[in-house]
Amino acid sequence: MECVVEGIIETQHVEALEILLQGLCGVHRDRLRIHELCLKSVPNLGLVASELRLLCDLEQSEPTWTVRHIGGAMKGAGADQISVLVRNMVESKVSKKALRLFYALGYKLDHELLRVGFAFNFHRGAQIRVSVSSVNKMLKLHATDEAVPLTPGIQLVEVTASASSENYTEVAAAVSSFCEYLAPLLHLSKPSNSTGVVPTAAAASASLMSDGGGTTL
Ligand SMILES: *[C@@H]1O[C@H](CO)[C@@H](O)[C@H](O)[C@H]1NC(C)=O
Ligand SMILES: *[C@@H]1O[C@H](CO)[C@@H](O)[C@H](O)[C@H]1NC(C)=O
């Protein structure tokens, strides 16, 4: 399982967010350049449609592929009470031949994206990953060099942490409390309920840029 929250930030404030994250995490950022292929199976013979994402990290000298299946979100009163979405997620490393395999299994390419940005991986009550990226679409099939922004001027921020059915409350609490530090710059919420940019972003960003992120906390 994983705990996840998302938000958006204007590109002009991304540098301030990076300074803040760097100060909070104390680790260096990793560059992200992820080619994401969303595959959908065609429902037939009574099988339900399913969706998979094939991800290729183009930042690596030798591109590595991962397949990810996002399952259902946890439901019920317990899930409603926490401000973090808890969902099933299965991820596995695959070889670059995986795309052909999934085509052979009846999956079709639904859409593809290129996410460009950076991520911080650190431990703070749980192993947390914060990624900040612009989401681009391809004008031609697999043409990652000709990608154009899907939402110009806006970047997506995603905070995730892996969890299990035993520890998700603890992990969700760690994610929530970390998100509070980012609140002046962006609002993070369950993916289905992303709110807009926050009105305090410009002021928070200006203050972070002027003092290097050290004193605002
Ligand atoms: C919670 O469980 C997951 C899955 O076993 C594990 O990866 C993670 O490190 C655990 N987190 C904490 C804070 O115990
Ligand atoms: C979305 O979030 C707002 C404020 O955080 C909340 O008032 C609203 O009920 C949420 N909507 C859904 C569908 O969860």
Side-chain angles (χ1 to χ4, degrees), residues 3 12 28 35 90 97 101 109 112 120 123 144 158 202 206:
C3 291
Q12 56 188 333
H28 286 290
H35 183 190
V90 183
K97 292 183 187 140
L101 171 69
L109 180 66
E112 57 180 345
F120 285 91
H123 194 88
T144 50
E158 198 178 46

Side-chain angles (χ1 to χ4, degrees), residues 159-174:
V159 182
T160 52
S162 60
S164 67
S165 51
E166 280 80 44
N167 72 13
Y168 73 86
T169 37
E170 192 188 325
V171 174

Side-chain angles (χ1 to χ4, degrees), residues 32 115-118 131-136 154-158:
L32 282 187
R115 296 179 190 269
V116 183
F118 57 86
S131 71
V132 182
S133 61
S134 71
V135 182
N136 302 275
I154 297 283
Q155 303 212 8
L156 179 70
V157 181
E158 198 178 46

Side-chain angles (χ1 to χ4, degrees), residues 1 71-76 78-80 82 85-88 165 168 190:
M1 295 169 105
M74 211 171 71
K75 292 199 178 78
D80 291 344
I82 49 179
L85 185 78
V86 183
R87 66 187 180 193
N88 288 308
S165 51
Y168 73 86
K190 296 183 185 184

